[in-house]
Amino acid sequence: MNIMNDIVHRSWPLPSKYWIMRQTWRNLLFLHWPIPLDKLRPHIPSSLQIDTFNGSAWLGVILFVLEGIYPRGISSVSLTPKFPEINVRTYVTCDGKPGIYFLSIDVKNWASLKIAKRWYRLPYHSAEISIQKEGQTFHCDSIRKGNTVTPITFKGKYFPVSEVYFPKEGTLDHWLTERYCLYSSNNGINIYCGEIHHRPWPLQKAEIEIVRNTLFTPFHFDLSEVNPIAHFSTGVDSLMWNIKKSGFSNSMGT
């Protein structure tokens, strides 16, 4: 089935038929920690509302391999070779539409770092990242470039431990993963929205062992005593639309 025809799971219609690129996301680890609103608020533009589930905000770390970026009309040729990515994100709403807000994105690929950072106005960082599979276990080791005094790193391993399932609407698993737009900003001033479409996430429960995680250090979040919720997914193909200005913010959150 064509991805564009599989839309019954969406909360709002597709923005148009004129998507600009297709991306292939594979072997994802979703890690999520509850976080107090007052800790998160200073890092989110004030015109974005922090989305909550049962009164709690959530912070996510997502690891995956981006296997291909295909411009519209060139379905068989990726702009880049496959590369791993790690992002730190949270969940927001703007004018009632729920979406993702990225706090950081670590990538190894030069083209994504330079082009997507400027085009989508997202907080990309250059990093050395390795995600390797041994049997059913994935091993990740990452260090961000340019932070020699306080290295920004992640090291751990993970593997799926359940059958594949599709989370039901209204559950936390669904709320954390089924998001169909991203928001970004220029230093908290202009707010931009990028629409996304894909089929529902096929999820599995996951076991994890985190050896080291300093991804939260730049934001002064200490979640070392909190065990994250972990999910694994074999992945989806996604469509992306051009980013558009959606609002205005006077400052970062207060």
Side-chain angles (χ1 to χ4, degrees):
M1 181 185 293
N2 188 302
I3 301 174
M4 290 284 284
N5 296 329
D6 195 354
I7 59 174
V8 68
H9 58 289
R10 290 180 57 91
S11 299
W12 63 87
L14 294 173
S16 73
K17 61 182 179 181
Y18 300 111
W19 54 273
I20 62 170
M21 77 176 84
R22 176 173 61 87
Q23 294 189 2
T24 302
W25 304 331
R26 293 292 181 262
N27 296 325
L28 296 93
L29 175 67
F30 295 88
L31 297 175
H32 285 101
W33 291 257
I35 185 170
L37 275 169
D38 62 337
K39 299 292 185 183
L40 188 58
R41 183 71 266 182
H43 304 282
I44 310 300
S46 58
S47 61
L48 295 175
Q49 295 76 49
I50 296 175
D51 206 357
T52 62
F53 188 91
N54 288 342
S56 179
W58 288 81
L59 190 66
V61 169
I62 319 301
L63 294 68
F64 65 99
V65 175
L66 206 163
E67 289 200 342
I69 301 175
Y70 305 92
R72 184 183 178 93
I74 313 177
S75 60
S76 61
V77 180
S78 175
L79 289 177
T80 67
K82 68 178 182 180
F83 61 90
E85 178 177 315
I86 302 176
N87 63 61
V88 178
R89 72 189 201 183
T90 190
Y91 305 102
V92 299
T93 61
C94 184
D95 297 326
K97 180 182 285 188
I100 294 165
Y101 185 82
F102 292 100
L103 297 174
S104 67
I105 302 175
D106 286 347
V107 292
K108 187 175 182 178
N109 181 266
W110 180 90
S112 290
L113 176 70
K114 297 298 182 182
I115 298 171
K117 181 176 184 176
R118 186 166 183 173
W119 187 358
Y120 275 87
R121 300 166 176 85
L122 292 170
Y124 278 90
H125 301 277
S126 180
E128 286 294 329
I129 307 173
S130 171
I131 297 178
Q132 301 292 331
K133 184 179 181 182
E134 296 180 5
Q136 296 303 308
T137 301
F138 293 84
H139 299 262
C140 178
D141 198 348
S142 172
I143 181 166
R144 187 178 299 171
K145 295 180 180 178
N147 292 82
T148 55
V149 177
T150 55
I152 307 303
T153 64
F154 184 93
K155 184 175 183 177
K157 61 182 181 179
Y158 53 96
F159 54 91
V161 294
S162 77
E163 297 297 322
V164 174
Y165 68 98
F166 294 89
K168 294 181 179 180
E169 189 172 354
T171 64
L172 178 59
D173 289 0
H174 184 277
W175 186 92
L176 290 169
T177 56
E178 292 298 323
R179 301 271 165 164
Y180 292 93
C181 72
L182 62 86
Y183 294 102
S184 62
S185 69
N186 287 346
N187 299 320
I189 303 301
N190 297 310
I191 302 298
Y192 298 86
C193 178
E195 298 272 1
I196 305 165
H197 177 61
H198 54 75
R199 294 190 176 102
W201 284 105
L203 296 182
Q204 294 171 268
K205 302 294 185 182
E207 290 286 344
I208 60 166
E209 179 183 330
I210 298 175
V211 177
R212 183 173 61 253
N213 176 21
T214 60
L215 292 168
F216 305 149
T217 299
F219 314 105
H220 308 290
F221 301 147
D222 183 5
L223 300 174
S224 57
E225 301 301 316
V226 182
N227 292 322
I229 296 172
H231 299 94
F232 176 83
S233 179
T234 53
V236 295
D237 289 345
S238 65
L239 302 177
M240 305 188 73
W241 279 256
N242 201 6
I243 197 164
K244 295 182 178 180
K245 187 180 290 187
S246 66
F248 180 81
S249 175
N250 290 320
S251 64
M252 295 300 284
T254 56

